Amino acid sequence: MPHPDSTTPILPGFHPDPSICRVDDDYFVITSTFEYLPGVPIFHSRDLVRWRLIGNVLDREDQLSLPSSEGSGGIFAPTLRFHDGRFWMITTNINRVGEGHLIVSATDPAGPWTTPVYATGAVGIDPDLFWDTDGTCYLTWASGRPGSPISQAVVNPETGELLSERTDVWGGTGLAHPEGPHLYRRGDWYYLLLAEGGTERGHAVTVARSRSVRGPYEGDPANPILSHRSTSHPVQNTGHADLVERADGSWAMVHLGVRPVGPSPSFHVNGRETFIAGVRWLDDWPVVDETAFDVPKSHTDFDDDFSSPHLDSRWIAPGRHPHEFIEAAVDVGCVIRPSDSTGHRSLLAIRVEDQEWDARATVDADGGRLVLRLDDSHWVAVGSQDGAISVRMVVGPLDQVLAGVPAPDAPKVTLAIRATLPAAEPYGRVAAADDLTLGYVAEDEFRALATVDGRYLSTEVAAGFTGRVIGVEPTGTTDAVLRRFSYRGL
C-alpha cells in the first residue's frame, strides 16, 4: 500500500529544483547544480520511483565554466522539455546572469548536448520553455527580485533570440518570491505553476490558469496546492514543482523538499532533495495527492577503484570539471593534482545521499584527505600528511585541528567519516543534526579520532542552496593518489 504521505525522496541528497519530461514510456529528470561541475545531472526512469543517472548535461568547458568554487553560485533552476525529436534544457548561470538564460539541446538525453546559446534580453532566473500547438515557443522566467511578477516572451530556442516584447503574466498569490515558473496546456486551459514563499520553511506550490497563453491568469482558489509550512511533517520546504502527463493520461508532480532533524530550528544537511506526488484534476484544477506513489529507498552505495577508463558520472567538483585536475594512472587509481593558482579547489566528490552513512578513501600516505564539504567556509576533513593523521574543521572564520595521531607505518592509509543520527533525549529532543565521526581504518577496524556536531555543516548554519558532498583532495602542494573510494548508507 502507498505511504500515507511521501517521506522518501526519489532523488536523495543534493538534488534541488527538479524538472521532468516524458518521451513515450520514458521519464527524464534534471536538477540544479550551483557551483558543482559537471552541471545538471539527468536521470531516467520507467516507473517514476526508480531512477538511474545517465549523465550530466553540461559536462564540457565550452558549455560551462565558473570563476571559483564560491558556494551557491553557478547553475540555478533548469527546465527540461522534449519537442519535435529533441531534448531541450534551459537554465541560468548566475555568474553570467546578464547574458540571459543558457539553452542547449540533444537528440540523446545522455548527450552530447550542444554548445549553449543565450536568451539575451531575458534577465532573471528559473527559465521555462513551452511550445504551443502552433509551434510557437514561449520563454517564461522570474526576475529574481522580491515581489516582481513572472515574465514571458516568444523565443527562438535555436538562437536564443527573443521574438516579442517581454510581458508580465502573473504576480503570484502574494507570497514572497514568486519564481520557478512552468507553463503547460491542458485542453483549452493554459496553466502557470509557480514556487512561492521562498525556498525555506514557507515554500509552496501555487497555480493559475488562463484561456490565453499570455493571460490574464487567475489563481486557484485552493492555493497553495502543496505546502508543508507550519506542520510537523518530516519533509519540509516543499515547493519548486514540475508536472508531467503520464502515458495513461494521469499526471504526476516532482518537487523539492528537505528532511530536517534536531532541535529548533531543525537542520537539514543534505540539501534540497527531489520527491514525487500524484496529481488529479478537479474542476480543471490540479489537486496534489502525496499518497499516490510507494517510493522505495534508493540504492546509494558506491564503490570506485578507478579501473574504468571513464570517470563515473557521480563524481563532481566545486568550480571545476573533474577532468581538469585528475588523471587515471595504470595500477594506481586516480591522481588528484593540487588546487590551481585561481583558487579552484581540487576536490573530487560525490553527493551525500543518506541521513546515516559511512565513507572511506584509501590514499597514499604522503598526502591526501577525505573531506565533507557544505561550502568552502564549512567543512571537516581527516587527512594524512607528514607521518600523521589529523582531523581539521572549518566553520566560518574558525579553523582548527581537532585531533591527530601518528600514521600507521604503511604506504597507504584508509581514511573514514561516518554520520549517525544521535539517540533521542527525553521529550523527543536530539542533541544535534547528526554526529560526524572521523578517523581511519587499521587492521580492518574503524578507529575514531574525533566526533563533531553536524549542525555546523547544515544549511541553517552556512546558508546557501546546496547540500553536503564528500570526496578527496590533496593536503598540500603535491598530488594525492586515490586508490579506492567507497560510500554506503547505514
Side-chain angles (χ1 to χ4, degrees):
M1 294 294 292
H3 296 298
D5 50 32
S6 180
T7 60
T8 303
I10 57 171
L11 299 179
F14 161 41
H15 291 109
D17 307 324
S19 181
I20 188 169
C21 75
R22 177 179 65 85
V23 182
D24 298 325
D25 293 325
D26 296 291
Y27 299 90
F28 302 91
V29 161
I30 59 174
T31 66
S32 298
T33 41
F34 296 92
E35 74 266 28
Y36 289 96
L37 297 171
V40 189
I42 183 164
F43 298 84
H44 169 259
S45 176
R46 283 285 181 96
D47 62 6
L48 288 171
V49 296
R50 297 171 182 85
W51 295 85
R52 180 176 64 89
L53 178 64
I54 60 173
N56 295 280
V57 175
L58 304 175
D59 61 0
R60 308 189 308 268
E61 290 93 328
D62 68 332
Q63 295 174 314
L64 179 64
S65 61
L66 299 175
S68 71
S69 58
E70 181 182 0
S72 297
I75 292 297
F76 277 37
T79 293
L80 179 68
R81 294 294 181 256
F82 183 79
H83 175 73
D84 198 21
R86 293 191 70 83
F87 292 88
W88 295 85
M89 192 282 295
I90 184 168
T91 189
T92 308
N93 177 358
I94 201 66
N95 298 109
R96 300 174 61 177
V97 65
E99 299 180 17
H101 307 294
L102 176 161
I103 305 173
V104 294
S105 65
T107 55
D108 184 344
W113 292 73
T114 58
T115 302
V117 298
Y118 290 85
T120 304
V123 177
I125 60 172
D126 301 359
D128 173 81
L129 293 177
F130 165 76
W131 281 264
D132 208 346
T133 52
D134 64 358
T136 303
C137 184
Y138 292 88
L139 167 62
T140 309
W141 72 97
S143 74
R145 298 186 300 273
S148 296
I150 301 301
S151 299
Q152 185 187 91
V154 177
V155 67
N156 179 350
E158 298 277 0
T159 65
E161 179 186 5
L162 297 189
L163 304 178
S164 73
E165 295 295 321
R166 178 185 67 84
T167 59
D168 294 335
V169 290
W170 191 43
T173 65
L175 296 177
H177 305 293
E179 57 191 12
H182 290 302
L183 187 61
Y184 317 88
R185 183 170 184 172
R186 179 179 178 270
D188 294 329
W189 289 106
Y190 294 89
Y191 294 88
L192 185 59
L193 196 73
L194 295 191
E196 292 191 65
T199 195
E200 297 80 33
R201 294 295 191 266
H203 212 196
V205 180
T206 61
V207 67
R209 70 185 183 188
S210 173
R211 294 292 188 183
S212 169
V213 66
R214 295 184 177 274
Y217 281 84
E218 168 199 10
D220 186 344
N223 276 327
I225 61 172
L226 175 66
S227 182
H228 290 172
R229 60 187 183 181
S230 301
T231 72
S232 58
H233 197 287
V235 178
Q236 289 292 320
N237 303 29
T238 49
H240 203 112
D242 195 9
L243 299 175
V244 65
E245 184 177 8
R246 304 172 72 182
D248 63 4
S250 63
W251 288 67
M253 169 191 283
V254 290
H255 64 88
L256 66 78
V258 305
R259 292 180 288 172
V261 295
S264 179
S266 298
F267 304 89
H268 74 279
V269 298
N270 288 340
R272 298 171 298 164
E273 306 175 293
T274 292
F275 295 80
I276 193 163
V279 172
R280 56 187 175 87
W281 295 86
L282 180 64
D283 297 328
D284 285 323
W285 288 112
V287 178
V288 179
D289 178 7
E290 294 186 78
T291 69
F293 292 94
D294 188 3
V295 181
K297 185 180 184 302
S298 298
H299 177 75
T300 59
D301 291 1
F302 177 63
D303 194 299
D304 198 342
D305 63 1
F306 303 97
S307 57
S308 170
H310 303 291
L311 191 67
D312 192 279
S313 295
R314 287 179 65 164
W315 290 111
I316 56 176
R320 305 171 74 188
H321 289 276
H323 61 250
E324 295 181 53
F325 62 89
I326 69 164
E327 61 185 49
V330 178
D331 299 325
V332 171
C334 179
V335 177
I336 306 174
R337 295 187 291 273
S339 300
D340 64 14
S341 59
T342 66
H344 285 86
R345 195 164 186 170
S346 294
L347 175 63
L348 183 66
I350 66 168
R351 294 167 176 84
V352 173
E353 296 180 329
D354 297 276
Q355 292 184 302
E356 295 189 294
W357 51 268
D358 179 280
R360 302 184 179 196
T362 300
V363 300
D364 283 6
D366 56 356
R369 64 185 174 204
L370 180 62
V371 181
L372 181 65
R373 176 191 192 263
L374 192 65
D375 60 31
D376 280 345
S377 298
H378 299 83
W379 57 273
V380 65
V382 54
S384 174
Q385 189 179 27
D386 299 329
I389 299 175
S390 60
V391 174
R392 178 183 172 192
M393 189 169 191
V394 172
V395 180
L398 306 178
D399 185 342
Q400 186 172 356
V401 174
L402 303 179
V405 296
D409 185 15
K412 297 180 291 185
V413 61
T414 297
L415 308 171
I417 304 178
R418 181 176 294 168
T420 55
L421 296 174
E425 294 181 350
Y427 309 107
R429 292 177 60 86
V430 295
D434 57 0
D435 288 327
L436 303 174
T437 302
L438 299 92
Y440 64 102
V441 178
E443 299 175 346
D444 296 324
E445 178 184 335
F446 175 64
R447 300 188 179 183
L449 295 180
T451 297
V452 299
D453 185 339
R455 78 181 70 188
Y456 300 111
L457 272 67
S458 72
T459 299
E460 283 73 18
V461 170
F465 303 119
T466 63
R468 291 174 179 171
V469 301
I470 188 164
V472 173
E473 69 180 359
T475 51
T477 58
T478 58
D479 295 346
V481 179
L482 174 57
R483 305 273 181 168
R484 192 180 194 103
F485 180 92
S486 67
Y487 169 94
R488 63 185 179 91
L490 300 177

